[in-house]
């Protein structure tokens, strides 16, 4: 999979980009430099032309980049695509790609990382993480890792998380409770920082295949 994210990161000039995708503007909004954004554009062009050469990353191209298989999809990877697809129109434009990817930059704020992780688990976009959503995501991550746990083990992880995170006992985790929980369990964010983005030797999140189901014992 990693070969899909290697390539030429020469600083070629981007051209004819919409104003909201201009490298200078994107650099002002993200931790990336202009040169890094131009390098990301080279990568974006490659990813967006693997199936349809239209300067847009379709879900199948996103899956192909992550898994070398455009048909391998599950809840977790679909949710990641949905968060990158900020305009919710079924494709990822260059600006969306850079802004979403910037959350994983080493210089991105912890608050941004916590918020992104919360949105990842908030499957129904209600502003809360409910027990059923947490369980669905744990199962999805296990499938992504080709790992299995017994139903009892999965329920134990979910129950322990809810007990620790749901401070007001209303059966769901709100953003402030999530922030407090992550602060106490910083390992949850370890895959939200990709050191190589600073060097641009690789330039796409591999956290999908590196995510571990947290053990809160």
């Amino acid at each position: 999979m990693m070969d899909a994210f290697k390539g030429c990161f020469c600083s070629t000039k981007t051209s004819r980009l919409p104003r909201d995708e201009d490298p200078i503007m994107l650099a002002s909004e993200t931790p990336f430099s202009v040169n890094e954004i131009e390098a990301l554009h080279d990568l974006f062009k490659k990813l967006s032309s693997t199936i349809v050469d239209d300067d847009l990353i379709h879900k199948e191209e996103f899956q192909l980049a992550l898994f070398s298989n455009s048909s391998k999809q599950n809840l977790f990877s679909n949710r990641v695509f949905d968060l990158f697809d900020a305009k919710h129109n079924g494709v990822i434009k260059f600006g969306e790609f850079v802004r979403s990817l910037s959350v994983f930059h080493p210089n991105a704020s912890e608050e941004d990382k916590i918020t992104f992780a919360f949105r990842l688990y908030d499957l129904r976009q209600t502003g809360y993480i409910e027990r059923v959503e947490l369980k669905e995501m744990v199962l999805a991550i296990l499938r992504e890792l080709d790992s299995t746990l017994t139903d009892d083990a999965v329920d134990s992880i979910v129950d322990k998380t809810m007990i620790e995170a749901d401070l007001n006992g209303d059966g769901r985790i709100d953003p402030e409770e999530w922030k407090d929980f992550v602060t106490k369990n910083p390992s949850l964010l370890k895959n939200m920082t990709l050191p190589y983005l600073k060097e641009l030797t690789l330039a796409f999140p591999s956290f999908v295949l590196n995510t571990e189901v947290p053990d809160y014992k």
Side-chain angles (χ1 to χ4, degrees):
M1 183 201 80
M2 303 309 295
D3 287 342
F5 309 127
K6 294 177 181 177
C8 173
F9 290 107
C10 47
S11 297
T12 56
K13 295 288 185 181
T14 54
S15 59
R16 298 183 182 179
L17 288 173
R19 187 173 182 277
D20 64 342
E21 297 184 354
D22 178 75
I24 295 176
M25 177 171 287
L26 289 172
S28 72
E29 298 175 4
T30 70
F32 294 115
S33 69
V34 172
N35 284 343
E36 288 171 335
I37 289 170
E38 290 178 345
L40 283 175
H41 190 257
D42 289 341
L43 175 64
F44 180 84
K45 291 284 288 184
K46 293 178 181 179
L47 296 180
S48 65
S49 62
T50 51
I51 296 177
V52 180
D53 190 1
D54 59 358
D55 286 330
L56 300 167
I57 297 179
H58 296 256
K59 182 172 286 189
E60 295 80 8
E61 291 171 322
F62 190 81
Q63 299 294 337
L64 184 62
L66 290 176
F67 308 114
S68 299
N69 183 341
S70 62
S71 63
K72 181 176 180 179
Q73 301 184 30
N74 83 352
L75 175 65
F76 185 70
S77 54
N78 284 342
R79 186 69 186 128
V80 175
F81 179 87
D82 289 342
L83 292 182
F84 272 63
D85 176 19
K87 294 182 179 178
H88 307 296
N89 57 0
V91 293
I92 300 171
K93 297 179 68 176
F94 180 60
E96 294 172 312
F97 181 73
V98 173
R99 291 183 179 92
S100 297
L101 195 58
S102 70
V103 175
F104 299 89
H105 194 284
N107 294 342
S109 71
E110 182 176 276
E111 183 175 353
D112 286 345
K113 296 177 188 294
I114 290 174
T115 298
F116 188 96
F118 181 88
R119 293 176 61 210
L120 189 65
Y121 282 83
D122 180 16
L123 299 176
R124 292 159 182 77
Q125 302 176 54
T126 60
Y128 299 92
I129 301 173
E130 300 186 16
R131 185 187 188 283
V132 64
E133 294 174 311
L134 183 60
K135 183 172 183 178
E136 286 178 29
M137 285 297 292
V138 169
L139 291 171
I141 292 170
L142 287 170
R143 285 193 292 271
E144 216 58 84
L145 298 172
D146 292 324
S147 299
T148 57
L149 290 176
T150 66
D151 289 342
D152 286 345
V154 172
D155 284 335
S156 178
I157 291 172
V158 174
D159 289 341
K160 188 170 180 59
T161 301
M162 292 301 299
I163 290 171
E164 292 185 13
D166 179 20
L167 300 178
N168 63 13
D170 65 354
R172 57 189 185 179
I173 303 169
D174 64 37
E176 285 303 312
E177 290 173 326
W178 175 256
K179 182 177 181 179
D180 184 70
F181 179 65
V182 171
T183 300
K184 295 175 181 176
N185 298 274
S187 63
L188 289 171
L189 291 184
K190 69 178 182 179
N191 290 309
M192 292 297 298
T193 296
L194 304 176
Y196 55 68
L197 280 182
K198 213 165 186 177
E199 305 298 331
L200 278 182
T201 53
L202 295 172
F204 198 73
S206 59
F207 66 93
V208 170
L209 297 186
N210 292 329
T211 301
E212 298 177 359
V213 177
D215 181 359
Y216 302 118
K217 294 181 181 178

PDB file of all heavy atoms in Angstrom, residues 98-124:
ATOM      1  N   VAL A  98      -6.144  18.854   1.078  1.00  0.00           N
ATOM      2  CA  VAL A  98      -5.089  19.510   1.856  1.00  0.00           C
ATOM      3  C   VAL A  98      -5.586  19.878   3.248  1.00  0.00           C
ATOM      4  O   VAL A  98      -4.897  19.629   4.248  1.00  0.00           O
ATOM      5  CB  VAL A  98      -4.581  20.773   1.129  1.00  0.00           C
ATOM      6  CG1 VAL A  98      -3.620  21.555   2.014  1.00  0.00           C
ATOM      7  CG2 VAL A  98      -3.897  20.390  -0.178  1.00  0.00           C
ATOM      8  N   ARG A  99      -6.775  20.463   3.335  1.00  0.00           N
ATOM      9  CA  ARG A  99      -7.285  20.888   4.641  1.00  0.00           C
ATOM     10  C   ARG A  99      -7.514  19.703   5.570  1.00  0.00           C
ATOM     11  O   ARG A  99      -7.233  19.766   6.774  1.00  0.00           O
ATOM     12  CB  ARG A  99      -8.576  21.695   4.457  1.00  0.00           C
ATOM     13  CG  ARG A  99      -8.356  23.057   3.805  1.00  0.00           C
ATOM     14  CD  ARG A  99      -9.652  23.851   3.703  1.00  0.00           C
ATOM     15  NE  ARG A  99      -9.419  25.159   3.088  1.00  0.00           N
ATOM     16  CZ  ARG A  99      -9.532  25.397   1.783  1.00  0.00           C
ATOM     17  NH1 ARG A  99      -9.862  24.411   0.950  1.00  0.00           N
ATOM     18  NH2 ARG A  99      -9.294  26.605   1.296  1.00  0.00           N
ATOM     19  N   SER A 100      -8.043  18.605   5.034  1.00  0.00           N
ATOM     20  CA  SER A 100      -8.264  17.413   5.859  1.00  0.00           C
ATOM     21  C   SER A 100      -6.945  16.787   6.264  1.00  0.00           C
ATOM     22  O   SER A 100      -6.761  16.378   7.414  1.00  0.00           O
ATOM     23  CB  SER A 100      -9.124  16.396   5.095  1.00  0.00           C
ATOM     24  OG  SER A 100     -10.401  16.912   4.819  1.00  0.00           O
ATOM     25  N   LEU A 101      -6.026  16.709   5.330  1.00  0.00           N
ATOM     26  CA  LEU A 101      -4.729  16.101   5.610  1.00  0.00           C
ATOM     27  C   LEU A 101      -3.939  16.914   6.634  1.00  0.00           C
ATOM     28  O   LEU A 101      -3.147  16.359   7.406  1.00  0.00           O
ATOM     29  CB  LEU A 101      -3.937  15.989   4.305  1.00  0.00           C
ATOM     30  CG  LEU A 101      -2.715  15.070   4.277  1.00  0.00           C
ATOM     31  CD1 LEU A 101      -3.103  13.642   4.638  1.00  0.00           C
ATOM     32  CD2 LEU A 101      -2.065  15.115   2.905  1.00  0.00           C
ATOM     33  N   SER A 102      -4.189  18.217   6.682  1.00  0.00           N
ATOM     34  CA  SER A 102      -3.432  19.076   7.587  1.00  0.00           C
ATOM     35  C   SER A 102      -3.655  18.718   9.054  1.00  0.00           C
ATOM     36  O   SER A 102      -2.812  19.012   9.913  1.00  0.00           O
ATOM     37  CB  SER A 102      -3.796  20.544   7.358  1.00  0.00           C
ATOM     38  OG  SER A 102      -5.114  20.832   7.800  1.00  0.00           O
ATOM     39  N   VAL A 103      -4.778  18.081   9.357  1.00  0.00           N
ATOM     40  CA  VAL A 103      -5.062  17.673  10.740  1.00  0.00           C
ATOM     41  C   VAL A 103      -4.011  16.686  11.239  1.00  0.00           C
ATOM     42  O   VAL A 103      -3.725  16.625  12.434  1.00  0.00           O
ATOM     43  CB  VAL A 103      -6.472  17.038  10.831  1.00  0.00           C
ATOM     44  CG1 VAL A 103      -6.734  16.504  12.246  1.00  0.00           C
ATOM     45  CG2 VAL A 103      -7.535  18.058  10.451  1.00  0.00           C
ATOM     46  N   PHE A 104      -3.403  15.938  10.315  1.00  0.00           N
ATOM     47  CA  PHE A 104      -2.428  14.917  10.689  1.00  0.00           C
ATOM     48  C   PHE A 104      -0.995  15.454  10.712  1.00  0.00           C
ATOM     49  O   PHE A 104      -0.065  14.722  11.023  1.00  0.00           O
ATOM     50  CB  PHE A 104      -2.522  13.734   9.716  1.00  0.00           C
ATOM     51  CG  PHE A 104      -3.875  13.074   9.723  1.00  0.00           C
ATOM     52  CD1 PHE A 104      -4.882  13.522   8.886  1.00  0.00           C
ATOM     53  CD2 PHE A 104      -4.147  12.029  10.590  1.00  0.00           C
ATOM     54  CE1 PHE A 104      -6.133  12.944   8.906  1.00  0.00           C
ATOM     55  CE2 PHE A 104      -5.389  11.443  10.617  1.00  0.00           C
ATOM     56  CZ  PHE A 104      -6.399  11.900   9.776  1.00  0.00           C
ATOM     57  N   HIS A 105      -0.837  16.723  10.389  1.00  0.00           N
ATOM     58  CA  HIS A 105       0.493  17.331  10.400  1.00  0.00           C
ATOM     59  C   HIS A 105       0.988  17.437  11.841  1.00  0.00           C
ATOM     60  O   HIS A 105       0.215  17.726  12.761  1.00  0.00           O
ATOM     61  CB  HIS A 105       0.420  18.722   9.763  1.00  0.00           C
ATOM     62  CG  HIS A 105       1.747  19.306   9.411  1.00  0.00           C
ATOM     63  ND1 HIS A 105       2.601  19.833  10.358  1.00  0.00           N
ATOM     64  CD2 HIS A 105       2.378  19.449   8.214  1.00  0.00           C
ATOM     65  CE1 HIS A 105       3.683  20.284   9.775  1.00  0.00           C
ATOM     66  NE2 HIS A 105       3.586  20.063   8.467  1.00  0.00           N
ATOM     67  N   PRO A 106       2.282  17.204  12.080  1.00  0.00           N
ATOM     68  CA  PRO A 106       2.827  17.325  13.447  1.00  0.00           C
ATOM     69  C   PRO A 106       2.580  18.686  14.081  1.00  0.00           C
ATOM     70  O   PRO A 106       2.518  18.791  15.312  1.00  0.00           O
ATOM     71  CB  PRO A 106       4.326  17.074  13.247  1.00  0.00           C
ATOM     72  CG  PRO A 106       4.403  16.220  12.032  1.00  0.00           C
ATOM     73  CD  PRO A 106       3.300  16.702  11.127  1.00  0.00           C
ATOM     74  N   ASN A 107       2.446  19.732  13.267  1.00  0.00           N
ATOM     75  CA  ASN A 107       2.235  21.072  13.819  1.00  0.00           C
ATOM     76  C   ASN A 107       0.763  21.445  13.980  1.00  0.00           C
ATOM     77  O   ASN A 107       0.444  22.544  14.425  1.00  0.00           O
ATOM     78  CB  ASN A 107       2.921  22.120  12.942  1.00  0.00           C
ATOM     79  CG  ASN A 107       4.434  21.986  12.970  1.00  0.00           C
ATOM     80  OD1 ASN A 107       4.993  21.362  13.866  1.00  0.00           O
ATOM     81  ND2 ASN A 107       5.096  22.553  11.978  1.00  0.00           N
ATOM     82  N   ALA A 108      -0.131  20.530  13.601  1.00  0.00           N
ATOM     83  CA  ALA A 108      -1.558  20.796  13.793  1.00  0.00           C
ATOM     84  C   ALA A 108      -1.873  20.778  15.287  1.00  0.00           C
ATOM     85  O   ALA A 108      -1.237  20.068  16.068  1.00  0.00           O
ATOM     86  CB  ALA A 108      -2.393  19.759  13.060  1.00  0.00           C
ATOM     87  N   SER A 109      -2.861  21.532  15.680  1.00  0.00           N
ATOM     88  CA  SER A 109      -3.190  21.624  17.106  1.00  0.00           C
ATOM     89  C   SER A 109      -3.826  20.330  17.605  1.00  0.00           C
ATOM     90  O   SER A 109      -4.501  19.615  16.857  1.00  0.00           O
ATOM     91  CB  SER A 109      -4.157  22.787  17.351  1.00  0.00           C
ATOM     92  OG  SER A 109      -5.443  22.490  16.843  1.00  0.00           O
ATOM     93  N   GLU A 110      -3.609  20.067  18.877  1.00  0.00           N
ATOM     94  CA  GLU A 110      -4.228  18.885  19.491  1.00  0.00           C
ATOM     95  C   GLU A 110      -5.747  18.996  19.451  1.00  0.00           C
ATOM     96  O   GLU A 110      -6.448  17.991  19.274  1.00  0.00           O
ATOM     97  CB  GLU A 110      -3.749  18.736  20.935  1.00  0.00           C
ATOM     98  CG  GLU A 110      -4.301  17.504  21.639  1.00  0.00           C
ATOM     99  CD  GLU A 110      -3.751  17.314  23.025  1.00  0.00           C
ATOM    100  OE1 GLU A 110      -2.649  16.727  23.154  1.00  0.00           O
ATOM    101  OE2 GLU A 110      -4.398  17.767  23.991  1.00  0.00           O
ATOM    102  N   GLU A 111      -6.250  20.200  19.593  1.00  0.00           N
ATOM    103  CA  GLU A 111      -7.700  20.409  19.557  1.00  0.00           C
ATOM    104  C   GLU A 111      -8.283  19.967  18.213  1.00  0.00           C
ATOM    105  O   GLU A 111      -9.349  19.337  18.162  1.00  0.00           O
ATOM    106  CB  GLU A 111      -8.035  21.871  19.821  1.00  0.00           C
ATOM    107  CG  GLU A 111      -9.523  22.151  19.873  1.00  0.00           C
ATOM    108  CD  GLU A 111      -9.845  23.587  20.245  1.00  0.00           C
ATOM    109  OE1 GLU A 111      -8.903  24.334  20.596  1.00  0.00           O
ATOM    110  OE2 GLU A 111     -11.024  23.958  20.195  1.00  0.00           O
ATOM    111  N   ASP A 112      -7.597  20.296  17.109  1.00  0.00           N
ATOM    112  CA  ASP A 112      -8.064  19.886  15.789  1.00  0.00           C
ATOM    113  C   ASP A 112      -8.054  18.372  15.657  1.00  0.00           C
ATOM    114  O   ASP A 112      -8.965  17.771  15.057  1.00  0.00           O
ATOM    115  CB  ASP A 112      -7.190  20.500  14.693  1.00  0.00           C
ATOM    116  CG  ASP A 112      -7.452  21.985  14.498  1.00  0.00           C
ATOM    117  OD1 ASP A 112      -8.490  22.477  15.007  1.00  0.00           O
ATOM    118  OD2 ASP A 112      -6.628  22.658  13.862  1.00  0.00           O
ATOM    119  N   LYS A 113      -7.039  17.727  16.205  1.00  0.00           N
ATOM    120  CA  LYS A 113      -6.936  16.267  16.143  1.00  0.00           C
ATOM    121  C   LYS A 113      -8.054  15.612  16.953  1.00  0.00           C
ATOM    122  O   LYS A 113      -8.674  14.630  16.518  1.00  0.00           O
ATOM    123  CB  LYS A 113      -5.567  15.810  16.644  1.00  0.00           C
ATOM    124  CG  LYS A 113      -4.394  16.289  15.792  1.00  0.00           C
ATOM    125  CD  LYS A 113      -3.064  15.861  16.394  1.00  0.00           C
ATOM    126  CE  LYS A 113      -1.887  16.502  15.664  1.00  0.00           C
ATOM    127  NZ  LYS A 113      -1.764  16.041  14.275  1.00  0.00           N
ATOM    128  N   ILE A 114      -8.319  16.166  18.136  1.00  0.00           N
ATOM    129  CA  ILE A 114      -9.384  15.632  18.985  1.00  0.00           C
ATOM    130  C   ILE A 114     -10.735  15.781  18.291  1.00  0.00           C
ATOM    131  O   ILE A 114     -11.564  14.869  18.300  1.00  0.00           O
ATOM    132  CB  ILE A 114      -9.388  16.349  20.349  1.00  0.00           C
ATOM    133  CG1 ILE A 114      -8.146  15.952  21.156  1.00  0.00           C
ATOM    134  CG2 ILE A 114     -10.650  16.021  21.135  1.00  0.00           C
ATOM    135  CD1 ILE A 114      -7.981  16.724  22.448  1.00  0.00           C
ATOM    136  N   THR A 115     -10.963  16.941  17.680  1.00  0.00           N
ATOM    137  CA  THR A 115     -12.222  17.191  16.987  1.00  0.00           C
ATOM    138  C   THR A 115     -12.414  16.243  15.809  1.00  0.00           C
ATOM    139  O   THR A 115     -13.505  15.694  15.600  1.00  0.00           O
ATOM    140  CB  THR A 115     -12.287  18.647  16.494  1.00  0.00           C
ATOM    141  OG1 THR A 115     -12.225  19.526  17.616  1.00  0.00           O
ATOM    142  CG2 THR A 115     -13.577  18.910  15.723  1.00  0.00           C
ATOM    143  N   PHE A 116     -11.339  16.031  15.032  1.00  0.00           N
ATOM    144  CA  PHE A 116     -11.433  15.129  13.886  1.00  0.00           C
ATOM    145  C   PHE A 116     -11.762  13.719  14.363  1.00  0.00           C
ATOM    146  O   PHE A 116     -12.620  13.039  13.786  1.00  0.00           O
ATOM    147  CB  PHE A 116     -10.127  15.133  13.093  1.00  0.00           C
ATOM    148  CG  PHE A 116     -10.194  14.391  11.789  1.00  0.00           C
ATOM    149  CD1 PHE A 116     -10.447  15.057  10.600  1.00  0.00           C
ATOM    150  CD2 PHE A 116      -9.987  13.011  11.732  1.00  0.00           C
ATOM    151  CE1 PHE A 116     -10.508  14.379   9.389  1.00  0.00           C
ATOM    152  CE2 PHE A 116     -10.059  12.328  10.539  1.00  0.00           C
ATOM    153  CZ  PHE A 116     -10.316  13.009   9.356  1.00  0.00           C
ATOM    154  N   ALA A 117     -11.082  13.260  15.413  1.00  0.00           N
ATOM    155  CA  ALA A 117     -11.330  11.919  15.934  1.00  0.00           C
ATOM    156  C   ALA A 117     -12.756  11.785  16.441  1.00  0.00           C
ATOM    157  O   ALA A 117     -13.406  10.751  16.241  1.00  0.00           O
ATOM    158  CB  ALA A 117     -10.333  11.602  17.050  1.00  0.00           C
ATOM    159  N   PHE A 118     -13.271  12.833  17.084  1.00  0.00           N
ATOM    160  CA  PHE A 118     -14.659  12.806  17.557  1.00  0.00           C
ATOM    161  C   PHE A 118     -15.618  12.653  16.379  1.00  0.00           C
ATOM    162  O   PHE A 118     -16.549  11.830  16.417  1.00  0.00           O
ATOM    163  CB  PHE A 118     -14.978  14.081  18.335  1.00  0.00           C
ATOM    164  CG  PHE A 118     -16.390  14.126  18.869  1.00  0.00           C
ATOM    165  CD1 PHE A 118     -16.685  13.587  20.111  1.00  0.00           C
ATOM    166  CD2 PHE A 118     -17.416  14.702  18.132  1.00  0.00           C
ATOM    167  CE1 PHE A 118     -17.984  13.608  20.607  1.00  0.00           C
ATOM    168  CE2 PHE A 118     -18.719  14.726  18.614  1.00  0.00           C
ATOM    169  CZ  PHE A 118     -19.003  14.178  19.853  1.00  0.00           C
ATOM    170  N   ARG A 119     -15.397  13.430  15.344  1.00  0.00           N
ATOM    171  CA  ARG A 119     -16.275  13.366  14.170  1.00  0.00           C
ATOM    172  C   ARG A 119     -16.204  12.001  13.501  1.00  0.00           C
ATOM    173  O   ARG A 119     -17.196  11.535  12.928  1.00  0.00           O
ATOM    174  CB  ARG A 119     -15.889  14.465  13.177  1.00  0.00           C
ATOM    175  CG  ARG A 119     -16.157  15.879  13.695  1.00  0.00           C
ATOM    176  CD  ARG A 119     -15.653  16.912  12.710  1.00  0.00           C
ATOM    177  NE  ARG A 119     -16.314  16.800  11.429  1.00  0.00           N
ATOM    178  CZ  ARG A 119     -15.770  17.124  10.268  1.00  0.00           C
ATOM    179  NH1 ARG A 119     -14.508  17.576  10.232  1.00  0.00           N
ATOM    180  NH2 ARG A 119     -16.434  16.996   9.146  1.00  0.00           N
ATOM    181  N   LEU A 120     -15.054  11.364  13.581  1.00  0.00           N
ATOM    182  CA  LEU A 120     -14.893  10.044  12.994  1.00  0.00           C
ATOM    183  C   LEU A 120     -15.840   9.042  13.651  1.00  0.00           C
ATOM    184  O   LEU A 120     -16.458   8.208  12.982  1.00  0.00           O
ATOM    185  CB  LEU A 120     -13.442   9.585  13.158  1.00  0.00           C
ATOM    186  CG  LEU A 120     -13.000   8.320  12.427  1.00  0.00           C
ATOM    187  CD1 LEU A 120     -13.050   8.530  10.924  1.00  0.00           C
ATOM    188  CD2 LEU A 120     -11.594   7.935  12.860  1.00  0.00           C
ATOM    189  N   TYR A 121     -15.969   9.142  14.965  1.00  0.00           N
ATOM    190  CA  TYR A 121     -16.820   8.219  15.721  1.00  0.00           C
ATOM    191  C   TYR A 121     -18.290   8.652  15.756  1.00  0.00           C
ATOM    192  O   TYR A 121     -19.172   7.831  16.019  1.00  0.00           O
ATOM    193  CB  TYR A 121     -16.303   8.079  17.150  1.00  0.00           C
ATOM    194  CG  TYR A 121     -15.101   7.175  17.275  1.00  0.00           C
ATOM    195  CD1 TYR A 121     -13.817   7.642  17.024  1.00  0.00           C
ATOM    196  CD2 TYR A 121     -15.247   5.838  17.646  1.00  0.00           C
ATOM    197  CE1 TYR A 121     -12.710   6.818  17.132  1.00  0.00           C
ATOM    198  CE2 TYR A 121     -14.150   4.997  17.756  1.00  0.00           C
ATOM    199  CZ  TYR A 121     -12.879   5.497  17.499  1.00  0.00           C
ATOM    200  OH  TYR A 121     -11.784   4.677  17.596  1.00  0.00           O
ATOM    201  N   ASP A 122     -18.551   9.915  15.507  1.00  0.00           N
ATOM    202  CA  ASP A 122     -19.923  10.425  15.500  1.00  0.00           C
ATOM    203  C   ASP A 122     -20.572  10.075  14.157  1.00  0.00           C
ATOM    204  O   ASP A 122     -20.789  10.932  13.306  1.00  0.00           O
ATOM    205  CB  ASP A 122     -19.916  11.940  15.738  1.00  0.00           C
ATOM    206  CG  ASP A 122     -21.306  12.546  15.738  1.00  0.00           C
ATOM    207  OD1 ASP A 122     -22.301  11.795  15.852  1.00  0.00           O
ATOM    208  OD2 ASP A 122     -21.398  13.787  15.601  1.00  0.00           O
ATOM    209  N   LEU A 123     -20.882   8.823  13.978  1.00  0.00           N
ATOM    210  CA  LEU A 123     -21.309   8.307  12.676  1.00  0.00           C
ATOM    211  C   LEU A 123     -22.577   8.968  12.159  1.00  0.00           C
ATOM    212  O   LEU A 123     -22.720   9.206  10.959  1.00  0.00           O
ATOM    213  CB  LEU A 123     -21.539   6.790  12.760  1.00  0.00           C
ATOM    214  CG  LEU A 123     -20.324   5.952  13.150  1.00  0.00           C
ATOM    215  CD1 LEU A 123     -20.723   4.485  13.294  1.00  0.00           C
ATOM    216  CD2 LEU A 123     -19.213   6.097  12.125  1.00  0.00           C
ATOM    217  N   ARG A 124     -23.508   9.249  13.050  1.00  0.00           N
ATOM    218  CA  ARG A 124     -24.790   9.801  12.634  1.00  0.00           C
ATOM    219  C   ARG A 124     -24.806  11.329  12.685  1.00  0.00           C
ATOM    220  O   ARG A 124     -25.837  11.952  12.475  1.00  0.00           O
ATOM    221  CB  ARG A 124     -25.909   9.207  13.485  1.00  0.00           C
ATOM    222  CG  ARG A 124     -26.113   7.717  13.193  1.00  0.00           C
ATOM    223  CD  ARG A 124     -26.836   6.983  14.322  1.00  0.00           C
ATOM    224  NE  ARG A 124     -26.962   5.566  14.040  1.00  0.00           N
ATOM    225  CZ  ARG A 124     -25.975   4.671  14.163  1.00  0.00           C
ATOM    226  NH1 ARG A 124     -24.775   5.075  14.552  1.00  0.00           N
ATOM    227  NH2 ARG A 124     -26.162   3.391  13.888  1.00  0.00           N
TER     228      ARG A 124
END
